[in-house]
Amino acid sequence: QGMAGLIFQVAAMDHDGSDDRKKAAERNGKKAMLTLLSDQSPVKAHLAKKPEEALGKVCNAETHIVHELEPAVELQLIYSRDDTVICCHGIEEYIDEVIARPSRQGFPTPQSLVFEKSRHVFHKQLHKDAYWKCVERFSSAVLSK
């Protein structure tokens, strides 16, 4: 999805500044993006031929760097089980790694709000009440200390 968004931006900027060319460039950007995201996407077809382990390895974050640099603070994670950008298993693995960090002794376990279905970063629109209740509860608790 990130690559498709980048392709859209690049294609949508390919114009001479006139309104007609801007509209045409944006249309071309949307077509390119939708092609990449479609089930018939040549990129998806290419990636489907690759071993799952190889894809997982290049798609996972190098969390050891984050663990070295991230200060021990209270954490609230909000994510979805069907997110197509960030796999929920990766988030849950990260939470386990955070809990195991020696620098977090004395800190509460990271809090999580998990939705079964919610597109990437659309939680506050699709689950507005639960999202804002969680954010308010967490921020109030942290700021009251």
mmCIF file of all heavy atoms in Angstrom, residues 64-105:
data_model
loop_
_atom_site.group_PDB
_atom_site.id
_atom_site.type_symbol
_atom_site.label_atom_id
_atom_site.label_comp_id
_atom_site.label_asym_id
_atom_site.label_seq_id
_atom_site.Cartn_x
_atom_site.Cartn_y
_atom_site.Cartn_z
ATOM 1 N N HIS A 64 15.407 -4.512 17.324
ATOM 2 C CA HIS A 64 16.521 -4.376 18.269
ATOM 3 C C HIS A 64 17.009 -2.928 18.325
ATOM 4 O O HIS A 64 17.402 -2.447 19.382
ATOM 5 C CB HIS A 64 17.663 -5.337 17.920
ATOM 6 C CG HIS A 64 18.371 -5.015 16.646
ATOM 7 N ND1 HIS A 64 17.887 -5.392 15.412
ATOM 8 C CD2 HIS A 64 19.520 -4.346 16.423
ATOM 9 C CE1 HIS A 64 18.716 -4.957 14.476
ATOM 10 N NE2 HIS A 64 19.710 -4.325 15.058
ATOM 11 N N ILE A 65 16.937 -2.227 17.198
ATOM 12 C CA ILE A 65 17.342 -0.811 17.179
ATOM 13 C C ILE A 65 16.364 0.016 18.013
ATOM 14 O O ILE A 65 16.767 0.872 18.792
ATOM 15 C CB ILE A 65 17.403 -0.293 15.726
ATOM 16 C CG1 ILE A 65 18.488 -1.051 14.947
ATOM 17 C CG2 ILE A 65 17.653 1.204 15.695
ATOM 18 C CD1 ILE A 65 18.467 -0.802 13.455
ATOM 19 N N VAL A 66 15.084 -0.260 17.856
ATOM 20 C CA VAL A 66 14.060 0.461 18.620
ATOM 21 C C VAL A 66 14.253 0.209 20.111
ATOM 22 O O VAL A 66 14.214 1.137 20.923
ATOM 23 C CB VAL A 66 12.640 0.039 18.179
ATOM 24 C CG1 VAL A 66 11.581 0.696 19.043
ATOM 25 C CG2 VAL A 66 12.419 0.364 16.715
ATOM 26 N N HIS A 67 14.504 -1.038 20.478
ATOM 27 C CA HIS A 67 14.674 -1.374 21.896
ATOM 28 C C HIS A 67 15.882 -0.663 22.493
ATOM 29 O O HIS A 67 15.870 -0.283 23.667
ATOM 30 C CB HIS A 67 14.797 -2.882 22.084
ATOM 31 C CG HIS A 67 13.533 -3.621 21.783
ATOM 32 N ND1 HIS A 67 12.324 -3.298 22.355
ATOM 33 C CD2 HIS A 67 13.285 -4.665 20.952
ATOM 34 C CE1 HIS A 67 11.384 -4.123 21.902
ATOM 35 N NE2 HIS A 67 11.942 -4.952 21.048
ATOM 36 N N GLU A 68 16.922 -0.459 21.696
ATOM 37 C CA GLU A 68 18.106 0.246 22.186
ATOM 38 C C GLU A 68 17.829 1.734 22.393
ATOM 39 O O GLU A 68 18.338 2.341 23.322
ATOM 40 C CB GLU A 68 19.263 0.087 21.200
ATOM 41 C CG GLU A 68 19.849 -1.301 21.145
ATOM 42 C CD GLU A 68 20.892 -1.439 20.041
ATOM 43 O OE1 GLU A 68 21.420 -0.407 19.570
ATOM 44 O OE2 GLU A 68 21.171 -2.586 19.644
ATOM 45 N N LEU A 69 17.025 2.318 21.519
ATOM 46 C CA LEU A 69 16.832 3.770 21.525
ATOM 47 C C LEU A 69 15.584 4.239 22.263
ATOM 48 O O LEU A 69 15.544 5.368 22.729
ATOM 49 C CB LEU A 69 16.786 4.289 20.077
ATOM 50 C CG LEU A 69 18.042 4.046 19.244
ATOM 51 C CD1 LEU A 69 17.819 4.479 17.806
ATOM 52 C CD2 LEU A 69 19.240 4.768 19.845
ATOM 53 N N GLU A 70 14.568 3.401 22.336
ATOM 54 C CA GLU A 70 13.304 3.812 22.936
ATOM 55 C C GLU A 70 13.428 3.900 24.456
ATOM 56 O O GLU A 70 13.820 2.931 25.105
ATOM 57 C CB GLU A 70 12.217 2.803 22.564
ATOM 58 C CG GLU A 70 10.839 3.180 23.047
ATOM 59 C CD GLU A 70 9.812 2.167 22.597
ATOM 60 O OE1 GLU A 70 9.834 1.028 23.087
ATOM 61 O OE2 GLU A 70 9.005 2.526 21.738
ATOM 62 N N PRO A 71 13.099 5.048 25.019
ATOM 63 C CA PRO A 71 13.152 5.143 26.487
ATOM 64 C C PRO A 71 12.038 4.310 27.111
ATOM 65 O O PRO A 71 11.034 4.009 26.466
ATOM 66 C CB PRO A 71 12.930 6.638 26.749
ATOM 67 C CG PRO A 71 12.197 7.134 25.547
ATOM 68 C CD PRO A 71 12.640 6.285 24.396
ATOM 69 N N ALA A 72 12.234 3.932 28.335
ATOM 70 C CA ALA A 72 11.205 3.172 29.048
ATOM 71 C C ALA A 72 10.070 4.128 29.410
ATOM 72 O O ALA A 72 10.218 4.977 30.292
ATOM 73 C CB ALA A 72 11.801 2.531 30.292
ATOM 74 N N VAL A 73 8.989 4.027 28.705
ATOM 75 C CA VAL A 73 7.804 4.856 28.933
ATOM 76 C C VAL A 73 6.581 3.955 28.871
ATOM 77 O O VAL A 73 6.639 2.842 28.366
ATOM 78 C CB VAL A 73 7.667 5.985 27.891
ATOM 79 C CG1 VAL A 73 8.811 6.973 27.996
ATOM 80 C CG2 VAL A 73 7.583 5.423 26.474
ATOM 81 N N GLU A 74 5.476 4.451 29.379
ATOM 82 C CA GLU A 74 4.232 3.696 29.258
ATOM 83 C C GLU A 74 3.801 3.696 27.796
ATOM 84 O O GLU A 74 3.969 4.684 27.092
ATOM 85 C CB GLU A 74 3.171 4.313 30.163
ATOM 86 C CG GLU A 74 3.534 4.163 31.635
ATOM 87 C CD GLU A 74 2.436 4.621 32.573
ATOM 88 O OE1 GLU A 74 1.259 4.421 32.230
ATOM 89 O OE2 GLU A 74 2.777 5.158 33.626
ATOM 90 N N LEU A 75 3.274 2.577 27.352
ATOM 91 C CA LEU A 75 2.901 2.428 25.946
ATOM 92 C C LEU A 75 1.444 2.031 25.793
ATOM 93 O O LEU A 75 0.917 1.243 26.567
ATOM 94 C CB LEU A 75 3.754 1.345 25.272
ATOM 95 C CG LEU A 75 5.242 1.606 25.151
ATOM 96 C CD1 LEU A 75 5.939 0.376 24.588
ATOM 97 C CD2 LEU A 75 5.499 2.797 24.254
ATOM 98 N N GLN A 76 0.815 2.590 24.767
ATOM 99 C CA GLN A 76 -0.540 2.218 24.359
ATOM 100 C C GLN A 76 -0.462 1.901 22.880
ATOM 101 O O GLN A 76 -0.032 2.740 22.093
ATOM 102 C CB GLN A 76 -1.515 3.371 24.595
ATOM 103 C CG GLN A 76 -2.890 3.158 24.001
ATOM 104 C CD GLN A 76 -3.674 2.079 24.733
ATOM 105 O OE1 GLN A 76 -3.948 2.218 25.912
ATOM 106 N NE2 GLN A 76 -4.037 1.026 24.033
ATOM 107 N N LEU A 77 -0.846 0.708 22.495
ATOM 108 C CA LEU A 77 -0.851 0.329 21.088
ATOM 109 C C LEU A 77 -2.282 0.082 20.649
ATOM 110 O O LEU A 77 -3.045 -0.574 21.355
ATOM 111 C CB LEU A 77 0.006 -0.918 20.870
ATOM 112 C CG LEU A 77 1.482 -0.645 21.154
ATOM 113 C CD1 LEU A 77 1.892 -1.292 22.444
ATOM 114 C CD2 LEU A 77 2.331 -1.096 20.011
ATOM 115 N N ILE A 78 -2.628 0.627 19.498
ATOM 116 C CA ILE A 78 -3.964 0.455 18.926
ATOM 117 C C ILE A 78 -3.757 -0.128 17.531
ATOM 118 O O ILE A 78 -3.079 0.469 16.702
ATOM 119 C CB ILE A 78 -4.719 1.801 18.858
ATOM 120 C CG1 ILE A 78 -4.826 2.421 20.250
ATOM 121 C CG2 ILE A 78 -6.087 1.602 18.227
ATOM 122 C CD1 ILE A 78 -5.416 3.819 20.278
ATOM 123 N N TYR A 79 -4.328 -1.308 17.314
ATOM 124 C CA TYR A 79 -4.116 -1.975 16.027
ATOM 125 C C TYR A 79 -5.272 -2.906 15.707
ATOM 126 O O TYR A 79 -6.182 -3.072 16.504
ATOM 127 C CB TYR A 79 -2.781 -2.730 16.018
ATOM 128 C CG TYR A 79 -2.651 -3.828 17.047
ATOM 129 C CD1 TYR A 79 -2.873 -5.156 16.695
ATOM 130 C CD2 TYR A 79 -2.289 -3.552 18.362
ATOM 131 C CE1 TYR A 79 -2.747 -6.172 17.628
ATOM 132 C CE2 TYR A 79 -2.152 -4.565 19.301
ATOM 133 C CZ TYR A 79 -2.384 -5.875 18.925
ATOM 134 O OH TYR A 79 -2.255 -6.870 19.845
ATOM 135 N N SER A 80 -5.192 -3.488 14.508
ATOM 136 C CA SER A 80 -6.260 -4.365 14.045
ATOM 137 C C SER A 80 -5.690 -5.713 13.611
ATOM 138 O O SER A 80 -4.585 -5.784 13.078
ATOM 139 C CB SER A 80 -6.974 -3.718 12.862
ATOM 140 O OG SER A 80 -7.887 -4.613 12.279
ATOM 141 N N ARG A 81 -6.466 -6.742 13.812
ATOM 142 C CA ARG A 81 -6.036 -8.090 13.420
ATOM 143 C C ARG A 81 -6.011 -8.262 11.897
ATOM 144 O O ARG A 81 -5.276 -9.086 11.382
ATOM 145 C CB ARG A 81 -6.950 -9.138 14.027
ATOM 146 C CG ARG A 81 -6.861 -9.154 15.530
ATOM 147 C CD ARG A 81 -7.049 -10.535 16.087
ATOM 148 N NE ARG A 81 -6.981 -10.499 17.532
ATOM 149 C CZ ARG A 81 -5.843 -10.501 18.229
ATOM 150 N NH1 ARG A 81 -4.705 -10.531 17.608
ATOM 151 N NH2 ARG A 81 -5.864 -10.449 19.545
ATOM 152 N N ASP A 82 -6.799 -7.482 11.164
ATOM 153 C CA ASP A 82 -6.814 -7.644 9.707
ATOM 154 C C ASP A 82 -6.093 -6.523 8.967
ATOM 155 O O ASP A 82 -6.284 -6.318 7.779
ATOM 156 C CB ASP A 82 -8.258 -7.802 9.192
ATOM 157 C CG ASP A 82 -9.041 -6.502 9.205
ATOM 158 O OD1 ASP A 82 -8.685 -5.590 9.978
ATOM 159 O OD2 ASP A 82 -10.024 -6.404 8.447
ATOM 160 N N ASP A 83 -5.206 -5.823 9.658
ATOM 161 C CA ASP A 83 -4.407 -4.760 9.039
ATOM 162 C C ASP A 83 -3.558 -5.368 7.926
ATOM 163 O O ASP A 83 -2.878 -6.371 8.137
ATOM 164 C CB ASP A 83 -3.499 -4.106 10.096
ATOM 165 C CG ASP A 83 -2.873 -2.816 9.623
ATOM 166 O OD1 ASP A 83 -2.497 -2.724 8.440
ATOM 167 O OD2 ASP A 83 -2.733 -1.895 10.442
ATOM 168 N N THR A 84 -3.615 -4.779 6.747
ATOM 169 C CA THR A 84 -2.826 -5.295 5.622
ATOM 170 C C THR A 84 -1.476 -4.599 5.490
ATOM 171 O O THR A 84 -0.683 -4.951 4.629
ATOM 172 C CB THR A 84 -3.603 -5.138 4.300
ATOM 173 O OG1 THR A 84 -3.918 -3.758 4.109
ATOM 174 C CG2 THR A 84 -4.869 -5.973 4.300
ATOM 175 N N VAL A 85 -1.208 -3.619 6.343
ATOM 176 C CA VAL A 85 0.068 -2.913 6.296
ATOM 177 C C VAL A 85 1.012 -3.437 7.378
ATOM 178 O O VAL A 85 2.173 -3.741 7.116
ATOM 179 C CB VAL A 85 -0.130 -1.388 6.438
ATOM 180 C CG1 VAL A 85 1.205 -0.656 6.476
ATOM 181 C CG2 VAL A 85 -0.999 -0.866 5.303
ATOM 182 N N ILE A 86 0.516 -3.547 8.592
ATOM 183 C CA ILE A 86 1.317 -4.044 9.709
ATOM 184 C C ILE A 86 0.616 -5.264 10.291
ATOM 185 O O ILE A 86 -0.500 -5.169 10.791
ATOM 186 C CB ILE A 86 1.515 -2.965 10.789
ATOM 187 C CG1 ILE A 86 2.234 -1.761 10.201
ATOM 188 C CG2 ILE A 86 2.284 -3.530 11.970
ATOM 189 C CD1 ILE A 86 2.396 -0.604 11.150
ATOM 190 N N CYS A 87 1.282 -6.375 10.234
ATOM 191 C CA CYS A 87 0.706 -7.637 10.703
ATOM 192 C C CYS A 87 0.546 -7.610 12.224
ATOM 193 O O CYS A 87 1.461 -7.231 12.953
ATOM 194 C CB CYS A 87 1.621 -8.775 10.280
ATOM 195 S SG CYS A 87 1.092 -10.373 10.868
ATOM 196 N N CYS A 88 -0.609 -8.023 12.700
ATOM 197 C CA CYS A 88 -0.873 -8.008 14.143
ATOM 198 C C CYS A 88 0.117 -8.891 14.899
ATOM 199 O O CYS A 88 0.479 -8.606 16.035
ATOM 200 C CB CYS A 88 -2.308 -8.419 14.437
ATOM 201 S SG CYS A 88 -2.710 -10.126 14.042
ATOM 202 N N HIS A 89 0.589 -9.961 14.269
ATOM 203 C CA HIS A 89 1.555 -10.846 14.933
ATOM 204 C C HIS A 89 2.865 -10.110 15.200
ATOM 205 O O HIS A 89 3.509 -10.330 16.221
ATOM 206 C CB HIS A 89 1.797 -12.101 14.108
ATOM 207 C CG HIS A 89 0.543 -12.870 13.843
ATOM 208 N ND1 HIS A 89 -0.205 -13.444 14.848
ATOM 209 C CD2 HIS A 89 -0.111 -13.145 12.691
ATOM 210 C CE1 HIS A 89 -1.257 -14.037 14.326
ATOM 211 N NE2 HIS A 89 -1.226 -13.867 13.015
ATOM 212 N N GLY A 90 3.251 -9.230 14.287
ATOM 213 C CA GLY A 90 4.456 -8.429 14.482
ATOM 214 C C GLY A 90 4.298 -7.474 15.655
ATOM 215 O O GLY A 90 5.224 -7.285 16.444
ATOM 216 N N ILE A 91 3.127 -6.880 15.788
ATOM 217 C CA ILE A 91 2.864 -5.974 16.905
ATOM 218 C C ILE A 91 2.881 -6.750 18.215
ATOM 219 O O ILE A 91 3.489 -6.309 19.206
ATOM 220 C CB ILE A 91 1.520 -5.243 16.716
ATOM 221 C CG1 ILE A 91 1.584 -4.337 15.484
ATOM 222 C CG2 ILE A 91 1.147 -4.446 17.967
ATOM 223 C CD1 ILE A 91 0.262 -3.769 15.055
ATOM 224 N N GLU A 92 2.247 -7.898 18.226
ATOM 225 C CA GLU A 92 2.194 -8.697 19.451
ATOM 226 C C GLU A 92 3.572 -9.232 19.831
ATOM 227 O O GLU A 92 3.919 -9.293 21.012
ATOM 228 C CB GLU A 92 1.159 -9.807 19.287
ATOM 229 C CG GLU A 92 -0.247 -9.215 19.244
ATOM 230 C CD GLU A 92 -1.315 -10.099 18.635
ATOM 231 O OE1 GLU A 92 -0.973 -11.195 18.129
ATOM 232 O OE2 GLU A 92 -2.486 -9.674 18.653
ATOM 233 N N GLU A 93 4.374 -9.555 18.846
ATOM 234 C CA GLU A 93 5.756 -9.976 19.113
ATOM 235 C C GLU A 93 6.546 -8.805 19.706
ATOM 236 O O GLU A 93 7.330 -8.973 20.639
ATOM 237 C CB GLU A 93 6.401 -10.446 17.810
ATOM 238 C CG GLU A 93 7.763 -11.059 17.970
ATOM 239 C CD GLU A 93 8.287 -11.593 16.644
ATOM 240 O OE1 GLU A 93 7.605 -12.422 16.024
ATOM 241 O OE2 GLU A 93 9.384 -11.157 16.240
ATOM 242 N N TYR A 94 6.331 -7.611 19.159
ATOM 243 C CA TYR A 94 7.002 -6.417 19.675
ATOM 244 C C TYR A 94 6.605 -6.167 21.137
ATOM 245 O O TYR A 94 7.453 -5.855 21.983
ATOM 246 C CB TYR A 94 6.679 -5.194 18.816
ATOM 247 C CG TYR A 94 7.283 -3.936 19.354
ATOM 248 C CD1 TYR A 94 8.646 -3.708 19.240
ATOM 249 C CD2 TYR A 94 6.508 -2.978 19.998
ATOM 250 C CE1 TYR A 94 9.219 -2.555 19.752
ATOM 251 C CE2 TYR A 94 7.070 -1.832 20.509
ATOM 252 C CZ TYR A 94 8.428 -1.625 20.380
ATOM 253 O OH TYR A 94 8.990 -0.484 20.897
ATOM 254 N N ILE A 95 5.324 -6.322 21.441
ATOM 255 C CA ILE A 95 4.860 -6.134 22.817
ATOM 256 C C ILE A 95 5.577 -7.110 23.749
ATOM 257 O O ILE A 95 6.044 -6.723 24.832
ATOM 258 C CB ILE A 95 3.324 -6.296 22.909
ATOM 259 C CG1 ILE A 95 2.630 -5.133 22.184
ATOM 260 C CG2 ILE A 95 2.872 -6.361 24.369
ATOM 261 C CD1 ILE A 95 1.128 -5.329 21.988
ATOM 262 N N ASP A 96 5.701 -8.353 23.331
ATOM 263 C CA ASP A 96 6.423 -9.347 24.145
ATOM 264 C C ASP A 96 7.878 -8.941 24.346
ATOM 265 O O ASP A 96 8.439 -9.086 25.435
ATOM 266 C CB ASP A 96 6.349 -10.734 23.497
ATOM 267 C CG ASP A 96 4.949 -11.333 23.536
ATOM 268 O OD1 ASP A 96 4.120 -10.877 24.356
ATOM 269 O OD2 ASP A 96 4.692 -12.252 22.736
ATOM 270 N N GLU A 97 8.499 -8.424 23.291
ATOM 271 C CA GLU A 97 9.891 -7.978 23.396
ATOM 272 C C GLU A 97 10.005 -6.793 24.361
ATOM 273 O O GLU A 97 10.954 -6.709 25.140
ATOM 274 C CB GLU A 97 10.426 -7.577 22.021
ATOM 275 C CG GLU A 97 10.585 -8.735 21.062
ATOM 276 C CD GLU A 97 10.897 -8.282 19.647
ATOM 277 O OE1 GLU A 97 10.990 -7.058 19.387
ATOM 278 O OE2 GLU A 97 11.040 -9.161 18.775
ATOM 279 N N VAL A 98 9.046 -5.873 24.292
ATOM 280 C CA VAL A 98 9.055 -4.711 25.188
ATOM 281 C C VAL A 98 8.943 -5.168 26.638
ATOM 282 O O VAL A 98 9.679 -4.706 27.517
ATOM 283 C CB VAL A 98 7.901 -3.728 24.836
ATOM 284 C CG1 VAL A 98 7.684 -2.700 25.934
ATOM 285 C CG2 VAL A 98 8.183 -3.039 23.513
ATOM 286 N N ILE A 99 8.041 -6.088 26.901
ATOM 287 C CA ILE A 99 7.839 -6.600 28.264
ATOM 288 C C ILE A 99 9.124 -7.228 28.792
ATOM 289 O O ILE A 99 9.459 -7.090 29.971
ATOM 290 C CB ILE A 99 6.666 -7.605 28.293
ATOM 291 C CG1 ILE A 99 5.357 -6.866 28.016
ATOM 292 C CG2 ILE A 99 6.605 -8.342 29.617
ATOM 293 C CD1 ILE A 99 4.175 -7.774 27.728
ATOM 294 N N ALA A 100 9.872 -7.888 27.918
ATOM 295 C CA ALA A 100 11.096 -8.592 28.324
ATOM 296 C C ALA A 100 12.303 -7.672 28.499
ATOM 297 O O ALA A 100 13.322 -8.096 29.048
ATOM 298 C CB ALA A 100 11.423 -9.671 27.299
ATOM 299 N N ARG A 101 12.221 -6.422 28.065
ATOM 300 C CA ARG A 101 13.379 -5.518 28.171
ATOM 301 C C ARG A 101 13.720 -5.239 29.630
ATOM 302 O O ARG A 101 12.849 -4.827 30.405
ATOM 303 C CB ARG A 101 13.085 -4.183 27.486
ATOM 304 C CG ARG A 101 13.261 -4.210 26.024
ATOM 305 C CD ARG A 101 13.380 -2.849 25.381
ATOM 306 N NE ARG A 101 12.582 -1.790 25.921
ATOM 307 C CZ ARG A 101 11.865 -0.947 25.185
ATOM 308 N NH1 ARG A 101 11.822 -1.047 23.902
ATOM 309 N NH2 ARG A 101 11.181 0.014 25.750
ATOM 310 N N PRO A 102 14.970 -5.413 30.027
ATOM 311 C CA PRO A 102 15.365 -5.127 31.410
ATOM 312 C C PRO A 102 15.110 -3.673 31.813
ATOM 313 O O PRO A 102 14.785 -3.395 32.969
ATOM 314 C CB PRO A 102 16.864 -5.440 31.420
ATOM 315 C CG PRO A 102 17.078 -6.373 30.273
ATOM 316 C CD PRO A 102 16.052 -5.998 29.242
ATOM 317 N N SER A 103 15.209 -2.736 30.866
ATOM 318 C CA SER A 103 15.031 -1.313 31.190
ATOM 319 C C SER A 103 13.590 -0.967 31.553
ATOM 320 O O SER A 103 13.316 0.120 32.041
ATOM 321 C CB SER A 103 15.472 -0.438 30.017
ATOM 322 O OG SER A 103 14.639 -0.661 28.890
ATOM 323 N N ARG A 104 12.659 -1.902 31.348
ATOM 324 C CA ARG A 104 11.253 -1.617 31.630
ATOM 325 C C ARG A 104 10.800 -2.150 32.984
ATOM 326 O O ARG A 104 9.624 -2.094 33.308
ATOM 327 C CB ARG A 104 10.380 -2.224 30.536
ATOM 328 C CG ARG A 104 10.548 -1.455 29.227
ATOM 329 C CD ARG A 104 9.424 -1.724 28.299
ATOM 330 N NE ARG A 104 8.119 -1.552 28.859
ATOM 331 C CZ ARG A 104 7.417 -0.415 28.863
ATOM 332 N NH1 ARG A 104 7.934 0.674 28.358
ATOM 333 N NH2 ARG A 104 6.211 -0.386 29.376
ATOM 334 N N GLN A 105 11.718 -2.659 33.774
ATOM 335 C CA GLN A 105 11.333 -3.155 35.094
ATOM 336 C C GLN A 105 10.686 -2.018 35.872
ATOM 337 O O GLN A 105 11.180 -0.904 35.909
ATOM 338 C CB GLN A 105 12.545 -3.697 35.846
ATOM 339 C CG GLN A 105 13.049 -4.983 35.259
ATOM 340 C CD GLN A 105 14.253 -5.529 36.012
ATOM 341 O OE1 GLN A 105 14.804 -4.883 36.885
ATOM 342 N NE2 GLN A 105 14.648 -6.738 35.659
#
